[in-house]
Every structure is written in structure tokens, then in C-alpha cells.
Amino acid sequence: MAATTGRASWLAMLRFTLNRLVRAVITLAMVSLLTFTLLQLAPGNFADLSAITSGATMTAQGQRDEVISGFTSRYGAEIPVWQQYLIFMKGAVTWDMGPSYKYPALTVEEIIGNAFPVSASIAILAVLLALAVAVPIGVVAARRRNGWLDNLLMFLVTIGNSVPNYLMGAFLLIVLVGGLHLLPSGGWDSPVNMIMPVIALAIGPMAVLARYVRSAVIETLREEYVTTAIAKGGPGRTIMVRHVLRNSLIPVVTVVGPIVASLMAGTVFIETMFRIPGLGQYFTGAATSRDMPLLMGTTLFFAALLIITNVVVDVSYGFLDPRTRVERQKA
């Protein structure tokens, strides 16, 4: 009987995983179609904008000729828009999206491969810093629930959640660079350059995670097995670590994954502010110059990153908490 129930729960997880994968593919296709359509409807193109920004010099003319030549060689002359979309999507699936208009010496996939590790390293460090601070704050606030310390911590968390990362970055620049002269203003040639971007990106997730940890710990403290352990006179630290904190962190897993993915895709302002050669800065340049291959490629990459992360988190949550497999089996 137990083996049958276990097999049924695993089959339910497999159906759930396949369902999420199908939904992920459909969502990514819709994002690509919407992005391509909006780019086609947007006024201007790369050649026209490069001519305007450079004063219609011979360099601008060379850029226009190079863009036209590259477009014709990849898509053909007088090709319909819908065929351009299909050709680009074929290249996206095979990881061959062609050269960038703004950086013709580089392909879109080369730019993503070179710049994404920079954005990813900042995002991962920011989430690790956020977790290191948020977990103790959430636990302390939960144990002092409705007390003055809980109210003070939640007040600070609310402020942290309300401050945009670019505003926090500007504040750090004013204090640590302009006022105290402790850190360089930007760049990417030393580990020291990572301090301010990581802190600026970590404040928002720190506030969100602290609230999640607090709520999860409060809910776990109400469980019967915790009440029983306390009634038996078990050591408080052992109960908190082994019973309360261990089970409270399971719901946090569902939040950490999307936060990491969203930070990787949302470092545009921070990378520009601190002159970091990450994917966000390339995305901004592609948007302002109408570099369609690079803009389409980075948008699809960011969308795929968010979608895949959500799928992985949902599936891993089922493995971490067997009760979810039973619930999905019943559903």
C-alpha cells in the first residue's frame, strides 16, 4: 500500500513537472512574439539612430552599410517580417542569433556569454548577503513577536523594501565615495568594486526574505511537534535549529530562486551607475540604439532565466516537502 502511494505521488510530480515545462515553452514563445512585435512597431531603427547621434558622418554611413549588409546576408532581401521572426527564433533555439548591430564584431550569444557571468556573480552575492542578514532578523522578530524589537525590525525592513536599488546605490556613492573616500566610484577591475553594487542589490531582497522567515518561523512555532518538544524541556537552541528553523526555511526556497533570477535580469541601473560590464548594461545600450538582435536575444535570455528558475523551484519544493506531492496527487 505504501509503495503504491509513493509511486502515485512520484507520478503526480512527473505530471506536474511536464505541465510546467509545457507552460514554460508557451510563455517563452509569447514573450518572444510580443517583444518582436513591439520592436517592429517602435519608431526608428539602428541605422537612422546611429546617423543622428553621430551627426551623419562617414562613420554613421559605414555603420548603416554594415547593418544592411549583415541583415541581408542573414535574412535575405525583401523578406517578410513574419519570416524574419521565424529565422531569428530558429537561431535562438540553436544558439546562433547572429551579430549585434552595435557591436558587429561580436555575436549576440558571445555578448551574453561574456556579460552574463558578471551580472550573475553580483546577483548571487547579493542574495547570499541578503540571506545572511534576513534569517537572523526574521528569527529574532518571530521570537519577539509584537514586542518593541519586532516592531523596530519590521519598521526597518519596510523602509528597506521601499527604497529602490538605484537610490540605495546613489546613497552609497555619496557616503562611501564622496564623503568618506573609502571605495572607488565604479569599474570592474578589483573585488572592492563589488561591495557597493552587492549591498545596493541586497537591501530589497533582504527585506522580503526577512518577512518570509518571520512568518514561517511564527507558523512553525505553532506546530504540535514544536510545542511537544518545548513541553519536554528540550534545549531552546536545539529546538530552534533542528525543528523550527529547518522546517521554516523550506518556504523560503520558493522565494530565493526567483529573487536570484530577477536580480540577474534587473541589474540595469546598478550596472550603469557603477560602470559594470554586465548584461544589463548591454541591454540598455541595445534598447537605446535599436539593436534588434541583441535586444531580442537578451530579452529572451532574461525571460528564459526567470521561467526556468520558477520551474526548478516548484519542482525542488516538491522534493523538499513530500506533503506537496500528496497535495498535487489529490489535485
Side-chain angles (χ1 to χ4, degrees):
M1 182 66 180
T4 303
T5 303
R7 191 180 304 112
S9 66
W10 285 108
L11 287 175
M13 277 296 299
L14 179 60
R15 287 195 298 268
F16 172 79
T17 303
L18 292 176
N19 178 265
R20 288 307 305 267
L21 289 174
V22 171
R23 288 170 55 187
V25 172
I26 295 174
T27 303
L28 191 58
M30 293 178 62
V31 169
S32 67
L33 183 59
L34 179 62
T35 305
F36 187 85
T37 303
L38 292 176
L39 287 176
Q40 293 296 325
L41 295 176
N45 54 52
F46 175 81
D48 294 338
L49 289 177
S50 63
I52 293 173
T53 54
S54 60
T57 62
M58 291 302 294
T59 303
Q61 181 62 45
Q63 285 181 315
R64 291 198 300 273
D65 294 341
E66 192 170 6
V67 168
I68 293 172
S69 176
F71 181 87
T72 303
S73 63
R74 185 170 182 83
Y75 297 100
E78 304 296 334
I79 189 171
V81 174
W82 64 271
Q83 289 188 14
Q84 296 178 27
Y85 170 75
L86 294 179
I87 293 173
F88 181 85
M89 288 306 298
K90 179 182 177 181
V93 172
T94 58
W95 198 238
D96 179 21
M97 291 172 279
S100 162
Y101 290 167
K102 188 173 182 179
Y103 311 97
L106 297 173
T107 62
V108 173
E109 54 269 18
E110 287 175 343
I111 293 175
I112 294 175
N114 293 332
F116 176 68
V118 176
S119 300
S121 61
I122 299 175
I124 292 173
L125 288 174
V127 172
L128 291 177
L129 175 61
L131 281 171
V133 178
V135 172
I137 289 178
V139 172
V140 171
R143 296 191 66 180
R144 302 292 188 271
R145 184 186 178 192
N146 297 328
W148 69 269
L149 186 56
D150 177 28
N151 293 330
L152 175 62
L153 291 175
M154 289 302 101
F155 174 73
L156 296 176
V157 162
T158 302
I159 295 177
N161 194 31
S162 304
V163 178
N165 55 30
Y166 61 85
L167 187 59
M168 179 57 63
F171 173 77
L172 293 174
L173 283 172
I174 293 173
V175 175
L176 298 181
V177 178
L180 301 177
H181 305 287
L182 294 177
L183 297 172
S185 61
W188 195 249
D189 53 359
S190 171
V192 178
N193 296 114
M194 303 178 71
I195 295 177
M196 288 191 293
V198 168
I199 294 175
L201 285 176
I203 297 299
M206 188 187 304
V208 173
L209 292 172
R211 285 185 174 276
Y212 269 93
V213 172
R214 177 183 180 275
S215 300
V217 170
I218 290 175
E219 184 177 349
T220 306
L221 286 171
R222 295 170 179 168
E223 297 289 342
E224 292 183 1
Y225 63 88
V226 176
T227 306
T228 302
I230 295 175
K232 289 182 178 180
R237 179 175 297 179
T238 302
I239 294 174
M240 282 300 301
V241 174
R242 182 176 299 178
H243 298 292
V244 178
L245 189 59
R246 182 178 180 182
N247 292 284
S248 299
L249 291 181
I250 292 178
V252 179
V253 172
T254 62
V255 186
V256 172
I259 285 178
V260 174
S262 63
L263 285 183
M264 291 179 184
T267 58
V268 176
F269 294 113
I270 294 299
E271 289 180 7
T272 303
M273 182 178 297
F274 292 101
R275 305 190 303 279
I276 299 172
L279 197 53
Q281 196 169 39
Y282 280 101
F283 178 81
T284 305
T288 55
S289 63
R290 299 293 193 276
D291 186 348
M292 181 178 166
L294 183 55
L295 189 57
M296 279 288 297
T298 51
T299 301
L300 286 179
F301 183 80
F302 285 147
L305 184 66
L306 289 169
I307 293 170
I308 293 173
T309 302
N310 280 301
V311 173
V312 172
V313 167
D314 287 344
V315 174
S316 62
Y317 188 67
F319 286 100
L320 291 172
D321 191 352
R323 294 173 295 180
T324 59
R325 296 200 294 268
V326 177
E327 293 172 358
R328 285 164 185 162
Q329 179 186 356
K330 293 178 180 179

